[in-house]
Amino acid sequence: MANLTHRRIVIMGVSSCGKSTVGELLSQRVGLPYRDGDDMHPPENIAKMSAGHALDDADRAPWLHSIGRWLAAQEGGAIVGCSALKHSYRDIIRAEAPGTVFVHLNGSYDLLAQRMSARRGHFMPLSLLDSQVETLEPLGAREEGVVLDIAASPEELAGQAAEYLTA
């Protein structure tokens, strides 16, 4: 296992930025378990998004608390993929799992839309990309984390994230 200075990690960003792919690759590199936050959504959230409706803060709060609790329960550390679009959302996760750091996968709208259009079998429709981009609040100066450009390959992004996490 890599000598990590950070052991609770959220791979964050809007839909189609590569959270799952990079999270799984990073997991292999650093030896921490990875869990996709999409799998932790309650059925009501999935139904709402599948119908093309954006989640609001009330919809997201229980999901964010469960993500934070799951991270906190992983004694050796863990990685979770979660959009974590707002500062307040990240605050919920950090309140449940102190010391959590964020790896923000960020990129151009065109690249995100292209990826989302090509994706099959996911509950999040392309029509919700605009609401996610509008909701996204970049990492603040007091938020521990790193922003990576999704123009790089998933392997490169996992390497950059691992480098940040072991520094």
Side-chain angles (χ1 to χ4, degrees):
M1 182 182 303
N3 185 18
L4 296 175
T5 55
H6 307 288
R7 304 199 67 76
R8 293 180 177 153
I9 303 139
V10 172
I11 308 294
M12 65 166 280
V14 300
S15 186
S16 295
C17 69
K19 294 182 295 290
S20 299
T21 302
V22 173
E24 290 171 3
L25 290 168
L26 181 60
S27 171
Q28 294 167 12
R29 281 183 182 247
V30 300
L32 292 177
Y34 171 77
R35 185 162 185 197
D36 193 325
D38 284 347
D39 296 338
M40 299 170 75
H41 270 294
E44 303 80 30
N45 285 8
I46 293 173
K48 189 172 183 177
M49 289 183 285
S50 295
H53 303 290
L55 298 179
D56 59 27
D57 289 357
D59 297 322
R60 291 177 196 269
W63 174 64
L64 294 163
H65 282 286
S66 69
I67 286 171
R69 285 191 300 271
W70 181 82
L71 268 175
Q74 308 311 303
E75 289 187 24
I79 304 165
V80 66
C82 170
S83 54
L85 298 174
K86 291 183 178 182
H87 301 291
S88 61
Y89 300 169
R90 297 187 292 272
D91 289 344
I92 290 171
I93 294 169
R94 280 191 299 269
E96 295 284 356
T100 297
V101 298
F102 295 86
V103 175
H104 179 188
L105 303 181
N106 194 32
S108 75
Y109 182 90
D110 290 342
L111 180 55
L112 291 163
Q114 176 187 1
R115 287 180 176 186
M116 205 166 185
S117 295
R119 194 162 69 169
R120 301 286 172 250
H122 193 275
F123 60 81
M124 178 74 92
L126 177 59
S127 62
L128 291 182
L129 181 58
D130 288 343
S131 73
Q132 287 216 326
V133 170
E134 289 169 9
T135 301
L136 178 64
E137 297 173 354
L139 288 175
R142 295 184 179 185
E143 292 185 285
E144 194 163 1
V146 64
V147 179
L148 303 177
D149 187 343
I150 64 168
S153 73
E155 293 79 11
E156 290 171 317
L157 292 168
Q160 292 168 12
E163 186 174 312
Y164 168 76
L165 295 166
T166 56

